[in-house]
Amino acid sequence: MSTFYKKLAGHVEERFRGLLSSITLEHGELTIEIPRGLLLTVCRALRDEDAFRFDQLIDLCGVDYLDYGEGRWQGPRFAVAYHLLSVTHNQRIRVRTFAEGEVPVVDSVVEVWNSANWYEREAFDLFGIVFEGHPDLRRILTDYGFIGHPFRKDFPLSGHVEMRYDAEKQRVVYEPVSIEPRTLVPRVIRRDHRYEVSEGDERSA
């Protein structure tokens, strides 16, 4: 393992001691987990402080942990992962926070990184994660009349409705799905040595 990210992990752990839920160095990638209430505080520090300068948000995605670990997952179901890049220091970091509650809610980071705007709309559209403080939180990929969130693990592959053009009404109409849900491809889990955790690759706070 390169000492580059071990050094960064040490700096992050020292700077945010007591503020992080966990810090993990695995497969050459550094991941920190932040409680929802401290998300904006830590993100601003990662962006502004000279030791980090993570001035670019290069990706943001939702995560659904339903059935994760073959059903043994005990934590909150939904999380948001942020992938940050420091051009100044040529380093990357992944930030994760969990969205708790029946309606998953986290704070919007648009005020920290403006590029989060469409990413957060996508996570809202596909996972139903609400980003509090977002300036224009609405669907971005599915139709405005779409029901549900298609990247949730319990969303049926066939969906809930189908649409067609009705010649008599001269408009598109929505109807219940006319095909039965079915699985055509069996689930296959492959063990790959490239993703095995070696001793010394993981640190936890």
Side-chain angles (χ1 to χ4, degrees):
M1 172 65 65
S2 169
T3 59
F4 183 83
Y5 279 101
K6 288 183 179 179
K7 184 177 180 180
L8 175 61
H11 288 163
V12 170
E13 187 173 9
E14 181 179 358
R15 167 61 181 84
F16 300 107
R17 189 176 304 277
L19 302 180
L20 306 181
S21 300
S22 68
I23 177 170
T24 305
L25 183 59
E26 190 175 39
H27 311 310
E29 296 183 347
L30 178 62
T31 302
I32 62 173
E33 183 181 314
I34 306 173
R36 179 199 162 192
L38 296 174
L39 176 65
L40 293 179
T41 299
V42 175
C43 284
R44 290 192 190 101
L46 290 172
R47 180 196 63 183
D48 297 336
E49 295 184 8
D50 290 336
F52 306 115
R53 289 296 176 191
F54 288 103
D55 48 5
Q56 289 192 18
L57 172 74
I58 58 175
D59 193 19
L60 180 158
C61 61
V63 184
D64 183 356
Y65 284 96
L66 182 69
D67 296 333
Y68 180 78
E70 299 179 356
R72 294 191 297 270
W73 181 256
Q74 298 296 321
R77 175 177 172 180
F78 295 100
V80 181
Y82 309 80
H83 297 262
L84 310 180
L85 170 66
S86 170
V87 176
T88 302
H89 300 297
N90 189 27
Q91 57 194 17
R92 299 169 185 262
I93 192 171
R94 179 191 296 115
V95 174
R96 181 178 64 174
T97 190
F98 283 94
E100 301 187 32
E102 185 175 347
V103 176
V105 179
V106 297
D107 291 319
S108 171
V109 297
V110 170
E111 67 174 69
V112 184
W113 298 285
N114 191 52
S115 60
N117 193 321
W118 282 16
Y119 289 133
E120 290 183 349
R121 286 181 58 188
E122 180 184 56
F124 164 70
D125 191 357
L126 302 180
F127 290 93
I129 299 171
V130 175
F131 292 88
E132 199 166 56
H134 190 284
D136 186 24
L137 193 62
R138 55 192 169 94
R139 293 187 182 272
I140 191 172
L141 295 177
T142 60
D143 184 75
Y144 290 120
F146 194 87
I147 298 174
H149 304 282
F151 273 20
R152 289 189 173 189
K153 297 291 181 64
D154 53 1
F155 190 86
L157 293 177
S158 58
H160 296 293
V161 297
E162 59 188 29
M163 56 185 295
R164 66 175 177 83
Y165 180 76
D166 190 301
E168 293 183 0
K169 297 180 180 179
Q170 296 186 348
R171 64 179 177 85
V172 172
V173 296
Y174 293 87
E175 299 174 337
V177 174
S178 59
I179 60 175
E180 296 181 2
R182 60 191 185 280
T183 301
L184 301 179
V185 181
R187 182 182 182 192
V188 178
I189 300 177
R190 294 182 175 86
R191 304 299 178 187
D192 193 322
H193 70 280
R194 293 176 297 175
Y195 302 104
E196 293 177 357
V197 179
S198 59
E199 185 177 354
D201 279 357
E202 184 172 332
R203 299 180 58 186
S204 59

